[in-house]
Amino acid sequence: QAQLVESGGGSVTLGGSLTLSCATPGYAKIGACLGWFRQTPEKEREGVAVIYTVDKAALHRDSVKGRFTISYDDTNNTLTLQMNNLGPDDSATYYCAAKPAPKVCRYSSPTDFTTWGQGTQVTVSS
């Protein structure tokens, strides 16, 4: 599969919003688990949200529920993460990732994902 390419990171103030996008060429044609993960120098990479391309079933980690929304547009092969009400704990490098033909689709196992983007930085300041 082709490389994943993220875009949309940047700097925002507390309570602001950002939308991250990830080009996922080829994944619309196959069943895949697509996800957003984030990492800081102080923490291990953690899952934020995942979505299964076939039925669009999505899961979000508890700390972002009600604030972040993952979605997938299979007409243009784009994975999106809408982030609202951003807080300081949301500052991180965000990565999109893909796992083709998954038996399960969950954000708790980043090592299950086989293809990763280069990452995009999100900085939330007061």
Side-chain angles (χ1 to χ4, degrees):
Q1 295 296 323
Q3 181 77 22
L4 306 181
V5 181
E6 302 102 335
S7 61
S11 298
V12 294
T13 55
L14 285 173
S17 298
L18 279 175
T19 301
L20 304 183
S21 297
C22 177
T24 61
Y27 287 98
K29 299 180 180 178
I30 64 173
C33 180
L34 304 178
W36 288 100
F37 298 81
R38 63 188 181 187
Q39 188 170 20
T40 67
E42 298 79 24
K43 294 182 180 180
E44 291 184 353
R45 189 167 299 189
E46 65 178 19
V48 177
V50 292
I51 189 166
Y52 183 46
T53 59
V54 175
D55 60 9
K56 309 295 173 59
L59 295 173
H60 299 77
R61 72 178 299 113
D62 286 348
S63 62
V64 307
K65 283 180 181 177
R67 301 188 299 122
F68 292 12
T69 302
I70 190 171
S71 61
Y72 183 65
D73 185 342
D74 48 18
T75 61
N76 61 14
N77 295 286
T78 301
L79 178 70
T80 300
L81 185 68
Q82 176 64 45
M83 305 186 294
N84 299 324
N85 194 21
L86 285 159
D89 290 345
D90 298 317
S91 293
T93 300
Y94 284 71
Y95 300 87
C96 63
K99 179 173 68 172
K103 293 182 179 179
V104 293
C105 187
R106 56 192 178 193
Y107 55 77
S108 58
S109 302
T111 56
D112 291 347
F113 288 74
T114 56
T115 304
W116 291 81
Q118 80 288 352
T120 186
Q121 181 66 38
V122 172
T123 302
V124 185
S125 59
S126 58

